[in-house]
Amino acid sequence: MFTGIVEEMGEIKNVGYENPTSFTMTIKAKTVLEGIHLGDSISVNGTCLTVTSFDTQMLEFTVGLAPETLRKTSLSELEQGSFVNLERAVCPTTRMGGHFVQGHVDGTGDIVSLTPEGDSLWVKVKVEKELLRYIVPKGYIAVDGTSLTVVNVFDVEGCFDFMLVDYTQRHVVIPLKKVGQKVNLEVDVLGKYVERLLSSGFLEHMKQS
C-alpha cells in the first residue's frame, strides 16, 4: 500500500531483458534506499515492484517486471536516463498525506495537452471508456504514482484533467513528459468495490433482509 506522495525521482540506469525471459530495471535513487531490504515493495511510476537487489554504496536498486506488468503499464517505454516517481510502501506509522494507492495500475492514458496557467500546469489525459467510468470530478486518482485530484471529466472526449502546482511540478515526472506520451493510472479502489457490490445484487439482498 502507498499514499501517492512521491518521495523522490529516480533515474533509470539500465532497463531491458537480461535474457529472453527476464526483464529488469536498475534505478539510481537515494531516499528509498534508506532501510531497504530484499523483497521490499517500491512504487515505480505507480507500479508496485519488488526489490530483487540493491547497492547502498552505488545508490541503486533493481526490480523485475513480469510480462503482465509490461503489458498493463507504460514502464516498457522507459529508457536509460528516464526519470521515474518513487515511493516506498507505507508503514503503520506513515502519515496518509495522499490517498490509498495499491500500486496496481488499472491502465494507461495518453497526455493530450499540457497548459500553463500562472505557475501551475493543467494536464489533460485521454483514457479508455472502461476506465473513465471510475473517474469523477474532485475524486482521487494516481497518475504515475502521484496522488492527484481530478478537476474535470469530459465524457464525450474520453478525457479528464488535473492541475499541478509549482511545487509538485518540480518533484514528479509528469511535467517532464510530452503530449502523446503515456501515464500509468490507478483509479480510487472504492469506486471499483462499490460497482462490484451493486452488480452482485447487494442492494436487493439488503432490502430483502
Side-chain angles (χ1 to χ4, degrees):
M1 186 69 72
F2 307 91
T3 67
I5 303 301
V6 176
E7 294 188 274
E8 67 174 321
M9 288 192 289
E11 182 179 354
I12 302 296
K13 293 189 66 176
N14 294 293
V15 60
Y17 286 95
E18 287 188 347
N19 57 60
T21 59
S22 179
F23 191 99
T24 63
M25 186 160 53
T26 300
I27 303 170
K28 183 178 180 180
K30 182 178 180 181
T31 301
V32 298
L33 293 179
E34 297 173 5
I36 194 171
H37 299 89
L38 291 177
D40 280 356
S41 294
I42 293 182
S43 171
V44 180
N45 275 2
T47 308
C48 179
L49 299 174
T50 301
V51 175
T52 57
S53 66
F54 64 88
D55 188 325
T56 55
Q57 298 299 315
M58 295 291 291
L59 295 179
E60 64 183 36
F61 69 97
T62 299
V63 292
L65 284 79
E68 177 64 8
T69 303
L70 293 172
R71 287 191 292 266
K72 197 75 172 182
T73 71
S74 65
L75 296 182
S76 61
E77 298 181 352
L78 296 173
E79 56 189 23
Q80 186 176 16
S82 296
F83 288 95
V84 289
N85 292 330
L86 301 175
E87 182 191 355
R88 291 168 291 184
V90 299
C91 298
T93 55
T94 303
R95 294 178 63 187
M96 287 299 298
H99 71 281
F100 289 115
V101 178
Q102 295 179 298
H104 301 160
V105 174
D106 292 301
T108 60
D110 298 310
I111 297 175
V112 295
S113 65
L114 298 161
T115 308
E117 182 178 345
D119 64 356
S120 296
L121 180 69
W122 283 99
V123 183
K124 192 172 185 179
V125 178
K126 186 175 181 62
V127 300
E128 296 292 335
K129 290 183 178 179
E130 290 75 14
L131 197 56
L132 189 66
R133 68 175 185 235
Y134 299 112
I135 302 174
V136 297
K138 304 303 182 286
Y140 288 125
I141 192 165
V143 181
D144 276 343
T146 306
S147 176
L148 296 167
T149 301
V150 176
V151 179
N152 302 292
V153 176
F154 309 92
D155 290 314
V156 176
E157 299 177 52
C159 297
F160 73 95
D161 66 9
F162 55 89
M163 180 172 274
L164 299 176
V165 298
D166 179 62
Y167 177 87
T168 305
Q169 292 176 56
R170 290 184 278 111
H171 290 85
V172 302
V173 301
I174 301 168
L176 302 178
K177 293 190 172 183
K178 300 176 181 179
V179 170
Q181 286 192 279
K182 293 185 181 299
V183 289
N184 291 327
L185 302 174
E186 181 186 332
V187 298
D188 190 350
V189 67
L190 295 178
K192 292 184 284 186
Y193 277 123
V194 170
E195 181 184 63
R196 179 68 172 172
L197 286 171
L198 293 176
S199 64
S200 67
F202 173 76
L203 286 182
E204 291 301 319
H205 176 74
M206 291 297 292
K207 289 179 182 178
Q208 294 173 8
S209 60

PDB file of all heavy atoms in Angstrom, residues 134-171:
ATOM      1  N   TYR A 134     -14.745   5.207 -13.834  1.00  0.00           N
ATOM      2  CA  TYR A 134     -14.359   5.242 -12.424  1.00  0.00           C
ATOM      3  C   TYR A 134     -13.776   6.595 -12.010  1.00  0.00           C
ATOM      4  O   TYR A 134     -13.415   6.786 -10.849  1.00  0.00           O
ATOM      5  CB  TYR A 134     -13.304   4.164 -12.136  1.00  0.00           C
ATOM      6  CG  TYR A 134     -13.771   2.762 -12.390  1.00  0.00           C
ATOM      7  CD1 TYR A 134     -13.236   2.016 -13.440  1.00  0.00           C
ATOM      8  CD2 TYR A 134     -14.739   2.166 -11.581  1.00  0.00           C
ATOM      9  CE1 TYR A 134     -13.654   0.712 -13.673  1.00  0.00           C
ATOM     10  CE2 TYR A 134     -15.163   0.868 -11.818  1.00  0.00           C
ATOM     11  CZ  TYR A 134     -14.613   0.147 -12.862  1.00  0.00           C
ATOM     12  OH  TYR A 134     -15.027  -1.136 -13.089  1.00  0.00           O
ATOM     13  N   ILE A 135     -13.660   7.517 -12.963  1.00  0.00           N
ATOM     14  CA  ILE A 135     -13.034   8.810 -12.696  1.00  0.00           C
ATOM     15  C   ILE A 135     -14.122   9.866 -12.541  1.00  0.00           C
ATOM     16  O   ILE A 135     -14.946  10.053 -13.435  1.00  0.00           O
ATOM     17  CB  ILE A 135     -12.061   9.186 -13.831  1.00  0.00           C
ATOM     18  CG1 ILE A 135     -10.994   8.084 -13.984  1.00  0.00           C
ATOM     19  CG2 ILE A 135     -11.398  10.527 -13.565  1.00  0.00           C
ATOM     20  CD1 ILE A 135     -10.071   8.287 -15.178  1.00  0.00           C
ATOM     21  N   VAL A 136     -14.108  10.555 -11.412  1.00  0.00           N
ATOM     22  CA  VAL A 136     -15.156  11.542 -11.119  1.00  0.00           C
ATOM     23  C   VAL A 136     -14.523  12.869 -10.725  1.00  0.00           C
ATOM     24  O   VAL A 136     -13.431  12.907 -10.149  1.00  0.00           O
ATOM     25  CB  VAL A 136     -16.082  11.056  -9.988  1.00  0.00           C
ATOM     26  CG1 VAL A 136     -16.813   9.787 -10.392  1.00  0.00           C
ATOM     27  CG2 VAL A 136     -15.300  10.834  -8.696  1.00  0.00           C
ATOM     28  N   PRO A 137     -15.202  13.993 -11.035  1.00  0.00           N
ATOM     29  CA  PRO A 137     -14.682  15.296 -10.630  1.00  0.00           C
ATOM     30  C   PRO A 137     -14.481  15.367  -9.115  1.00  0.00           C
ATOM     31  O   PRO A 137     -15.315  14.906  -8.352  1.00  0.00           O
ATOM     32  CB  PRO A 137     -15.777  16.271 -11.087  1.00  0.00           C
ATOM     33  CG  PRO A 137     -16.453  15.564 -12.226  1.00  0.00           C
ATOM     34  CD  PRO A 137     -16.444  14.113 -11.827  1.00  0.00           C
ATOM     35  N   LYS A 138     -13.360  15.918  -8.708  1.00  0.00           N
ATOM     36  CA  LYS A 138     -12.952  16.062  -7.305  1.00  0.00           C
ATOM     37  C   LYS A 138     -12.636  14.726  -6.644  1.00  0.00           C
ATOM     38  O   LYS A 138     -12.457  14.653  -5.431  1.00  0.00           O
ATOM     39  CB  LYS A 138     -14.028  16.802  -6.496  1.00  0.00           C
ATOM     40  CG  LYS A 138     -14.391  18.171  -7.072  1.00  0.00           C
ATOM     41  CD  LYS A 138     -13.164  19.067  -7.197  1.00  0.00           C
ATOM     42  CE  LYS A 138     -13.525  20.449  -7.713  1.00  0.00           C
ATOM     43  NZ  LYS A 138     -13.846  20.459  -9.164  1.00  0.00           N
ATOM     44  N   GLY A 139     -12.545  13.670  -7.448  1.00  0.00           N
ATOM     45  CA  GLY A 139     -12.185  12.370  -6.909  1.00  0.00           C
ATOM     46  C   GLY A 139     -10.676  12.159  -6.977  1.00  0.00           C
ATOM     47  O   GLY A 139      -9.943  12.908  -7.624  1.00  0.00           O
ATOM     48  N   TYR A 140     -10.225  11.112  -6.292  1.00  0.00           N
ATOM     49  CA  TYR A 140      -8.799  10.783  -6.296  1.00  0.00           C
ATOM     50  C   TYR A 140      -8.418   9.989  -7.539  1.00  0.00           C
ATOM     51  O   TYR A 140      -9.209   9.213  -8.060  1.00  0.00           O
ATOM     52  CB  TYR A 140      -8.451   9.903  -5.088  1.00  0.00           C
ATOM     53  CG  TYR A 140      -8.463  10.604  -3.762  1.00  0.00           C
ATOM     54  CD1 TYR A 140      -9.253  10.117  -2.710  1.00  0.00           C
ATOM     55  CD2 TYR A 140      -7.685  11.730  -3.524  1.00  0.00           C
ATOM     56  CE1 TYR A 140      -9.260  10.723  -1.468  1.00  0.00           C
ATOM     57  CE2 TYR A 140      -7.683  12.350  -2.281  1.00  0.00           C
ATOM     58  CZ  TYR A 140      -8.471  11.843  -1.258  1.00  0.00           C
ATOM     59  OH  TYR A 140      -8.470  12.446  -0.043  1.00  0.00           O
ATOM     60  N   ILE A 141      -7.178  10.175  -7.974  1.00  0.00           N
ATOM     61  CA  ILE A 141      -6.590   9.315  -8.986  1.00  0.00           C
ATOM     62  C   ILE A 141      -5.073   9.342  -8.805  1.00  0.00           C
ATOM     63  O   ILE A 141      -4.509  10.359  -8.372  1.00  0.00           O
ATOM     64  CB  ILE A 141      -6.967   9.750 -10.422  1.00  0.00           C
ATOM     65  CG1 ILE A 141      -6.589   8.663 -11.428  1.00  0.00           C
ATOM     66  CG2 ILE A 141      -6.333  11.095 -10.794  1.00  0.00           C
ATOM     67  CD1 ILE A 141      -7.223   8.831 -12.796  1.00  0.00           C
ATOM     68  N   ALA A 142      -4.424   8.231  -9.078  1.00  0.00           N
ATOM     69  CA  ALA A 142      -2.958   8.175  -9.040  1.00  0.00           C
ATOM     70  C   ALA A 142      -2.457   8.189 -10.478  1.00  0.00           C
ATOM     71  O   ALA A 142      -2.805   7.315 -11.272  1.00  0.00           O
ATOM     72  CB  ALA A 142      -2.475   6.924  -8.318  1.00  0.00           C
ATOM     73  N   VAL A 143      -1.671   9.195 -10.818  1.00  0.00           N
ATOM     74  CA  VAL A 143      -1.100   9.340 -12.155  1.00  0.00           C
ATOM     75  C   VAL A 143       0.408   9.164 -12.035  1.00  0.00           C
ATOM     76  O   VAL A 143       1.084   9.961 -11.384  1.00  0.00           O
ATOM     77  CB  VAL A 143      -1.423  10.720 -12.760  1.00  0.00           C
ATOM     78  CG1 VAL A 143      -0.838  10.836 -14.171  1.00  0.00           C
ATOM     79  CG2 VAL A 143      -2.933  10.951 -12.786  1.00  0.00           C
ATOM     80  N   ASP A 144       0.932   8.111 -12.629  1.00  0.00           N
ATOM     81  CA  ASP A 144       2.341   7.747 -12.456  1.00  0.00           C
ATOM     82  C   ASP A 144       2.707   7.704 -10.972  1.00  0.00           C
ATOM     83  O   ASP A 144       3.795   8.122 -10.569  1.00  0.00           O
ATOM     84  CB  ASP A 144       3.263   8.718 -13.207  1.00  0.00           C
ATOM     85  CG  ASP A 144       3.433   8.349 -14.677  1.00  0.00           C
ATOM     86  OD1 ASP A 144       3.112   7.198 -15.039  1.00  0.00           O
ATOM     87  OD2 ASP A 144       3.890   9.193 -15.466  1.00  0.00           O
ATOM     88  N   GLY A 145       1.757   7.225 -10.167  1.00  0.00           N
ATOM     89  CA  GLY A 145       2.008   7.066  -8.745  1.00  0.00           C
ATOM     90  C   GLY A 145       1.834   8.319  -7.917  1.00  0.00           C
ATOM     91  O   GLY A 145       2.060   8.291  -6.703  1.00  0.00           O
ATOM     92  N   THR A 146       1.422   9.414  -8.533  1.00  0.00           N
ATOM     93  CA  THR A 146       1.219  10.668  -7.818  1.00  0.00           C
ATOM     94  C   THR A 146      -0.253  10.829  -7.464  1.00  0.00           C
ATOM     95  O   THR A 146      -1.118  10.779  -8.348  1.00  0.00           O
ATOM     96  CB  THR A 146       1.655  11.866  -8.690  1.00  0.00           C
ATOM     97  OG1 THR A 146       2.999  11.675  -9.128  1.00  0.00           O
ATOM     98  CG2 THR A 146       1.543  13.168  -7.916  1.00  0.00           C
ATOM     99  N   SER A 147      -0.555  11.013  -6.190  1.00  0.00           N
ATOM    100  CA  SER A 147      -1.932  11.213  -5.753  1.00  0.00           C
ATOM    101  C   SER A 147      -2.414  12.592  -6.182  1.00  0.00           C
ATOM    102  O   SER A 147      -1.855  13.616  -5.777  1.00  0.00           O
ATOM    103  CB  SER A 147      -2.019  11.093  -4.225  1.00  0.00           C
ATOM    104  OG  SER A 147      -3.336  11.384  -3.769  1.00  0.00           O
ATOM    105  N   LEU A 148      -3.466  12.612  -7.013  1.00  0.00           N
ATOM    106  CA  LEU A 148      -3.970  13.871  -7.551  1.00  0.00           C
ATOM    107  C   LEU A 148      -5.484  13.928  -7.464  1.00  0.00           C
ATOM    108  O   LEU A 148      -6.158  12.906  -7.333  1.00  0.00           O
ATOM    109  CB  LEU A 148      -3.530  14.028  -9.007  1.00  0.00           C
ATOM    110  CG  LEU A 148      -2.013  14.137  -9.240  1.00  0.00           C
ATOM    111  CD1 LEU A 148      -1.682  13.961 -10.711  1.00  0.00           C
ATOM    112  CD2 LEU A 148      -1.495  15.466  -8.730  1.00  0.00           C
ATOM    113  N   THR A 149      -5.995  15.157  -7.545  1.00  0.00           N
ATOM    114  CA  THR A 149      -7.442  15.368  -7.542  1.00  0.00           C
ATOM    115  C   THR A 149      -7.916  15.687  -8.945  1.00  0.00           C
ATOM    116  O   THR A 149      -7.390  16.605  -9.594  1.00  0.00           O
ATOM    117  CB  THR A 149      -7.823  16.530  -6.603  1.00  0.00           C
ATOM    118  OG1 THR A 149      -7.376  16.228  -5.284  1.00  0.00           O
ATOM    119  CG2 THR A 149      -9.333  16.736  -6.584  1.00  0.00           C
ATOM    120  N   VAL A 150      -8.889  14.923  -9.427  1.00  0.00           N
ATOM    121  CA  VAL A 150      -9.479  15.176 -10.746  1.00  0.00           C
ATOM    122  C   VAL A 150     -10.240  16.502 -10.700  1.00  0.00           C
ATOM    123  O   VAL A 150     -10.977  16.769  -9.750  1.00  0.00           O
ATOM    124  CB  VAL A 150     -10.428  14.040 -11.136  1.00  0.00           C
ATOM    125  CG1 VAL A 150     -11.124  14.344 -12.463  1.00  0.00           C
ATOM    126  CG2 VAL A 150      -9.687  12.715 -11.203  1.00  0.00           C
ATOM    127  N   VAL A 151     -10.052  17.331 -11.717  1.00  0.00           N
ATOM    128  CA  VAL A 151     -10.798  18.597 -11.786  1.00  0.00           C
ATOM    129  C   VAL A 151     -12.037  18.432 -12.659  1.00  0.00           C
ATOM    130  O   VAL A 151     -13.156  18.626 -12.228  1.00  0.00           O
ATOM    131  CB  VAL A 151      -9.913  19.740 -12.315  1.00  0.00           C
ATOM    132  CG1 VAL A 151     -10.731  21.039 -12.408  1.00  0.00           C
ATOM    133  CG2 VAL A 151      -8.705  19.945 -11.397  1.00  0.00           C
ATOM    134  N   ASN A 152     -11.830  18.043 -13.916  1.00  0.00           N
ATOM    135  CA  ASN A 152     -12.955  17.892 -14.850  1.00  0.00           C
ATOM    136  C   ASN A 152     -12.908  16.523 -15.525  1.00  0.00           C
ATOM    137  O   ASN A 152     -11.838  15.958 -15.731  1.00  0.00           O
ATOM    138  CB  ASN A 152     -12.904  18.963 -15.949  1.00  0.00           C
ATOM    139  CG  ASN A 152     -12.931  20.368 -15.395  1.00  0.00           C
ATOM    140  OD1 ASN A 152     -13.939  20.809 -14.842  1.00  0.00           O
ATOM    141  ND2 ASN A 152     -11.820  21.089 -15.541  1.00  0.00           N
ATOM    142  N   VAL A 153     -14.087  16.022 -15.873  1.00  0.00           N
ATOM    143  CA  VAL A 153     -14.200  14.802 -16.668  1.00  0.00           C
ATOM    144  C   VAL A 153     -14.963  15.144 -17.938  1.00  0.00           C
ATOM    145  O   VAL A 153     -16.048  15.743 -17.879  1.00  0.00           O
ATOM    146  CB  VAL A 153     -14.933  13.681 -15.899  1.00  0.00           C
ATOM    147  CG1 VAL A 153     -15.116  12.453 -16.787  1.00  0.00           C
ATOM    148  CG2 VAL A 153     -14.153  13.310 -14.635  1.00  0.00           C
ATOM    149  N   PHE A 154     -14.408  14.815 -19.089  1.00  0.00           N
ATOM    150  CA  PHE A 154     -15.015  15.112 -20.386  1.00  0.00           C
ATOM    151  C   PHE A 154     -15.447  13.797 -21.023  1.00  0.00           C
ATOM    152  O   PHE A 154     -14.655  13.131 -21.719  1.00  0.00           O
ATOM    153  CB  PHE A 154     -14.013  15.847 -21.273  1.00  0.00           C
ATOM    154  CG  PHE A 154     -13.376  17.052 -20.621  1.00  0.00           C
ATOM    155  CD1 PHE A 154     -12.172  16.919 -19.937  1.00  0.00           C
ATOM    156  CD2 PHE A 154     -13.990  18.293 -20.687  1.00  0.00           C
ATOM    157  CE1 PHE A 154     -11.572  18.015 -19.337  1.00  0.00           C
ATOM    158  CE2 PHE A 154     -13.398  19.400 -20.088  1.00  0.00           C
ATOM    159  CZ  PHE A 154     -12.188  19.263 -19.400  1.00  0.00           C
ATOM    160  N   ASP A 155     -16.685  13.406 -20.783  1.00  0.00           N
ATOM    161  CA  ASP A 155     -17.170  12.101 -21.237  1.00  0.00           C
ATOM    162  C   ASP A 155     -17.137  11.953 -22.750  1.00  0.00           C
ATOM    163  O   ASP A 155     -16.774  10.896 -23.275  1.00  0.00           O
ATOM    164  CB  ASP A 155     -18.593  11.860 -20.722  1.00  0.00           C
ATOM    165  CG  ASP A 155     -18.621  11.632 -19.211  1.00  0.00           C
ATOM    166  OD1 ASP A 155     -17.780  10.854 -18.727  1.00  0.00           O
ATOM    167  OD2 ASP A 155     -19.457  12.235 -18.524  1.00  0.00           O
ATOM    168  N   VAL A 156     -17.529  12.996 -23.469  1.00  0.00           N
ATOM    169  CA  VAL A 156     -17.566  12.911 -24.923  1.00  0.00           C
ATOM    170  C   VAL A 156     -16.168  12.726 -25.501  1.00  0.00           C
ATOM    171  O   VAL A 156     -15.953  11.940 -26.421  1.00  0.00           O
ATOM    172  CB  VAL A 156     -18.224  14.172 -25.524  1.00  0.00           C
ATOM    173  CG1 VAL A 156     -18.163  14.132 -27.054  1.00  0.00           C
ATOM    174  CG2 VAL A 156     -19.680  14.282 -25.060  1.00  0.00           C
ATOM    175  N   GLU A 157     -15.197  13.441 -24.930  1.00  0.00           N
ATOM    176  CA  GLU A 157     -13.822  13.350 -25.412  1.00  0.00           C
ATOM    177  C   GLU A 157     -13.098  12.127 -24.862  1.00  0.00           C
ATOM    178  O   GLU A 157     -12.042  11.735 -25.381  1.00  0.00           O
ATOM    179  CB  GLU A 157     -13.037  14.599 -25.012  1.00  0.00           C
ATOM    180  CG  GLU A 157     -13.570  15.897 -25.576  1.00  0.00           C
ATOM    181  CD  GLU A 157     -12.783  17.085 -25.065  1.00  0.00           C
ATOM    182  OE1 GLU A 157     -11.538  17.063 -25.173  1.00  0.00           O
ATOM    183  OE2 GLU A 157     -13.392  18.031 -24.542  1.00  0.00           O
ATOM    184  N   GLY A 158     -13.637  11.547 -23.784  1.00  0.00           N
ATOM    185  CA  GLY A 158     -12.952  10.434 -23.138  1.00  0.00           C
ATOM    186  C   GLY A 158     -11.716  10.890 -22.398  1.00  0.00           C
ATOM    187  O   GLY A 158     -10.688  10.200 -22.400  1.00  0.00           O
ATOM    188  N   CYS A 159     -11.811  12.061 -21.753  1.00  0.00           N
ATOM    189  CA  CYS A 159     -10.658  12.653 -21.094  1.00  0.00           C
ATOM    190  C   CYS A 159     -10.994  13.116 -19.682  1.00  0.00           C
ATOM    191  O   CYS A 159     -12.161  13.257 -19.315  1.00  0.00           O
ATOM    192  CB  CYS A 159     -10.147  13.867 -21.879  1.00  0.00           C
ATOM    193  SG  CYS A 159      -9.553  13.519 -23.538  1.00  0.00           S
ATOM    194  N   PHE A 160      -9.963  13.378 -18.910  1.00  0.00           N
ATOM    195  CA  PHE A 160     -10.089  14.069 -17.622  1.00  0.00           C
ATOM    196  C   PHE A 160      -8.877  14.974 -17.481  1.00  0.00           C
ATOM    197  O   PHE A 160      -7.879  14.818 -18.200  1.00  0.00           O
ATOM    198  CB  PHE A 160     -10.174  13.078 -16.463  1.00  0.00           C
ATOM    199  CG  PHE A 160      -8.873  12.394 -16.131  1.00  0.00           C
ATOM    200  CD1 PHE A 160      -8.030  12.888 -15.140  1.00  0.00           C
ATOM    201  CD2 PHE A 160      -8.485  11.247 -16.820  1.00  0.00           C
ATOM    202  CE1 PHE A 160      -6.825  12.254 -14.849  1.00  0.00           C
ATOM    203  CE2 PHE A 160      -7.276  10.608 -16.528  1.00  0.00           C
ATOM    204  CZ  PHE A 160      -6.447  11.122 -15.537  1.00  0.00           C
ATOM    205  N   ASP A 161      -8.961  15.946 -16.588  1.00  0.00           N
ATOM    206  CA  ASP A 161      -7.800  16.798 -16.370  1.00  0.00           C
ATOM    207  C   ASP A 161      -7.549  17.029 -14.888  1.00  0.00           C
ATOM    208  O   ASP A 161      -8.383  16.721 -14.029  1.00  0.00           O
ATOM    209  CB  ASP A 161      -7.912  18.120 -17.143  1.00  0.00           C
ATOM    210  CG  ASP A 161      -9.036  19.031 -16.651  1.00  0.00           C
ATOM    211  OD1 ASP A 161      -9.648  18.735 -15.601  1.00  0.00           O
ATOM    212  OD2 ASP A 161      -9.307  20.048 -17.313  1.00  0.00           O
ATOM    213  N   PHE A 162      -6.373  17.542 -14.598  1.00  0.00           N
ATOM    214  CA  PHE A 162      -5.970  17.874 -13.241  1.00  0.00           C
ATOM    215  C   PHE A 162      -4.951  18.995 -13.327  1.00  0.00           C
ATOM    216  O   PHE A 162      -4.448  19.320 -14.404  1.00  0.00           O
ATOM    217  CB  PHE A 162      -5.376  16.660 -12.514  1.00  0.00           C
ATOM    218  CG  PHE A 162      -4.234  15.996 -13.222  1.00  0.00           C
ATOM    219  CD1 PHE A 162      -2.916  16.400 -13.015  1.00  0.00           C
ATOM    220  CD2 PHE A 162      -4.470  14.952 -14.118  1.00  0.00           C
ATOM    221  CE1 PHE A 162      -1.860  15.785 -13.673  1.00  0.00           C
ATOM    222  CE2 PHE A 162      -3.403  14.332 -14.782  1.00  0.00           C
ATOM    223  CZ  PHE A 162      -2.097  14.755 -14.561  1.00  0.00           C
ATOM    224  N   MET A 163      -4.660  19.602 -12.179  1.00  0.00           N
ATOM    225  CA  MET A 163      -3.717  20.722 -12.155  1.00  0.00           C
ATOM    226  C   MET A 163      -2.563  20.413 -11.212  1.00  0.00           C
ATOM    227  O   MET A 163      -2.767  19.891 -10.118  1.00  0.00           O
ATOM    228  CB  MET A 163      -4.433  22.006 -11.732  1.00  0.00           C
ATOM    229  CG  MET A 163      -3.548  23.236 -11.678  1.00  0.00           C
ATOM    230  SD  MET A 163      -4.479  24.758 -11.386  1.00  0.00           S
ATOM    231  CE  MET A 163      -4.944  25.203 -13.064  1.00  0.00           C
ATOM    232  N   LEU A 164      -1.364  20.745 -11.648  1.00  0.00           N
ATOM    233  CA  LEU A 164      -0.166  20.588 -10.832  1.00  0.00           C
ATOM    234  C   LEU A 164       0.322  21.953 -10.382  1.00  0.00           C
ATOM    235  O   LEU A 164       0.586  22.832 -11.217  1.00  0.00           O
ATOM    236  CB  LEU A 164       0.943  19.900 -11.635  1.00  0.00           C
ATOM    237  CG  LEU A 164       0.672  18.489 -12.166  1.00  0.00           C
ATOM    238  CD1 LEU A 164       1.859  18.028 -13.017  1.00  0.00           C
ATOM    239  CD2 LEU A 164       0.414  17.515 -11.031  1.00  0.00           C
ATOM    240  N   VAL A 165       0.452  22.132  -9.078  1.00  0.00           N
ATOM    241  CA  VAL A 165       1.018  23.378  -8.567  1.00  0.00           C
ATOM    242  C   VAL A 165       2.522  23.363  -8.803  1.00  0.00           C
ATOM    243  O   VAL A 165       3.111  22.325  -9.141  1.00  0.00           O
ATOM    244  CB  VAL A 165       0.703  23.572  -7.067  1.00  0.00           C
ATOM    245  CG1 VAL A 165      -0.806  23.659  -6.855  1.00  0.00           C
ATOM    246  CG2 VAL A 165       1.300  22.443  -6.235  1.00  0.00           C
ATOM    247  N   ASP A 166       3.150  24.508  -8.617  1.00  0.00           N
ATOM    248  CA  ASP A 166       4.574  24.644  -8.913  1.00  0.00           C
ATOM    249  C   ASP A 166       5.420  23.633  -8.148  1.00  0.00           C
ATOM    250  O   ASP A 166       6.314  23.003  -8.724  1.00  0.00           O
ATOM    251  CB  ASP A 166       5.018  26.072  -8.575  1.00  0.00           C
ATOM    252  CG  ASP A 166       6.509  26.282  -8.825  1.00  0.00           C
ATOM    253  OD1 ASP A 166       6.934  26.160  -9.978  1.00  0.00           O
ATOM    254  OD2 ASP A 166       7.246  26.538  -7.850  1.00  0.00           O
ATOM    255  N   TYR A 167       5.165  23.445  -6.866  1.00  0.00           N
ATOM    256  CA  TYR A 167       5.962  22.522  -6.057  1.00  0.00           C
ATOM    257  C   TYR A 167       5.885  21.109  -6.618  1.00  0.00           C
ATOM    258  O   TYR A 167       6.911  20.426  -6.764  1.00  0.00           O
ATOM    259  CB  TYR A 167       5.475  22.529  -4.606  1.00  0.00           C
ATOM    260  CG  TYR A 167       6.225  21.536  -3.731  1.00  0.00           C
ATOM    261  CD1 TYR A 167       7.414  21.892  -3.099  1.00  0.00           C
ATOM    262  CD2 TYR A 167       5.751  20.232  -3.554  1.00  0.00           C
ATOM    263  CE1 TYR A 167       8.111  20.984  -2.317  1.00  0.00           C
ATOM    264  CE2 TYR A 167       6.444  19.313  -2.772  1.00  0.00           C
ATOM    265  CZ  TYR A 167       7.628  19.700  -2.157  1.00  0.00           C
ATOM    266  OH  TYR A 167       8.310  18.795  -1.399  1.00  0.00           O
ATOM    267  N   THR A 168       4.679  20.664  -6.937  1.00  0.00           N
ATOM    268  CA  THR A 168       4.504  19.307  -7.458  1.00  0.00           C
ATOM    269  C   THR A 168       5.212  19.140  -8.791  1.00  0.00           C
ATOM    270  O   THR A 168       5.819  18.096  -9.058  1.00  0.00           O
ATOM    271  CB  THR A 168       3.009  18.980  -7.611  1.00  0.00           C
ATOM    272  OG1 THR A 168       2.347  19.197  -6.362  1.00  0.00           O
ATOM    273  CG2 THR A 168       2.796  17.534  -8.037  1.00  0.00           C
ATOM    274  N   GLN A 169       5.160  20.162  -9.627  1.00  0.00           N
ATOM    275  CA  GLN A 169       5.835  20.080 -10.927  1.00  0.00           C
ATOM    276  C   GLN A 169       7.321  19.808 -10.785  1.00  0.00           C
ATOM    277  O   GLN A 169       7.930  19.146 -11.630  1.00  0.00           O
ATOM    278  CB  GLN A 169       5.651  21.392 -11.700  1.00  0.00           C
ATOM    279  CG  GLN A 169       4.228  21.672 -12.149  1.00  0.00           C
ATOM    280  CD  GLN A 169       4.119  23.031 -12.810  1.00  0.00           C
ATOM    281  OE1 GLN A 169       4.819  23.328 -13.783  1.00  0.00           O
ATOM    282  NE2 GLN A 169       3.265  23.892 -12.281  1.00  0.00           N
ATOM    283  N   ARG A 170       7.908  20.311  -9.715  1.00  0.00           N
ATOM    284  CA  ARG A 170       9.351  20.174  -9.530  1.00  0.00           C
ATOM    285  C   ARG A 170       9.747  18.864  -8.856  1.00  0.00           C
ATOM    286  O   ARG A 170      10.942  18.578  -8.724  1.00  0.00           O
ATOM    287  CB  ARG A 170       9.884  21.355  -8.710  1.00  0.00           C
ATOM    288  CG  ARG A 170       9.851  22.673  -9.468  1.00  0.00           C
ATOM    289  CD  ARG A 170      10.465  23.827  -8.694  1.00  0.00           C
ATOM    290  NE  ARG A 170       9.529  24.403  -7.733  1.00  0.00           N
ATOM    291  CZ  ARG A 170       9.645  24.311  -6.418  1.00  0.00           C
ATOM    292  NH1 ARG A 170      10.662  23.633  -5.889  1.00  0.00           N
ATOM    293  NH2 ARG A 170       8.770  24.870  -5.608  1.00  0.00           N
ATOM    294  N   HIS A 171       8.740  18.066  -8.444  1.00  0.00           N
ATOM    295  CA  HIS A 171       9.068  16.858  -7.687  1.00  0.00           C
ATOM    296  C   HIS A 171       8.472  15.576  -8.270  1.00  0.00           C
ATOM    297  O   HIS A 171       8.598  14.512  -7.664  1.00  0.00           O
ATOM    298  CB  HIS A 171       8.609  17.013  -6.230  1.00  0.00           C
ATOM    299  CG  HIS A 171       9.428  18.017  -5.465  1.00  0.00           C
ATOM    300  ND1 HIS A 171       9.154  19.373  -5.505  1.00  0.00           N
ATOM    301  CD2 HIS A 171      10.518  17.867  -4.672  1.00  0.00           C
ATOM    302  CE1 HIS A 171      10.036  20.015  -4.752  1.00  0.00           C
ATOM    303  NE2 HIS A 171      10.878  19.132  -4.242  1.00  0.00           N
TER     304      HIS A 171
END
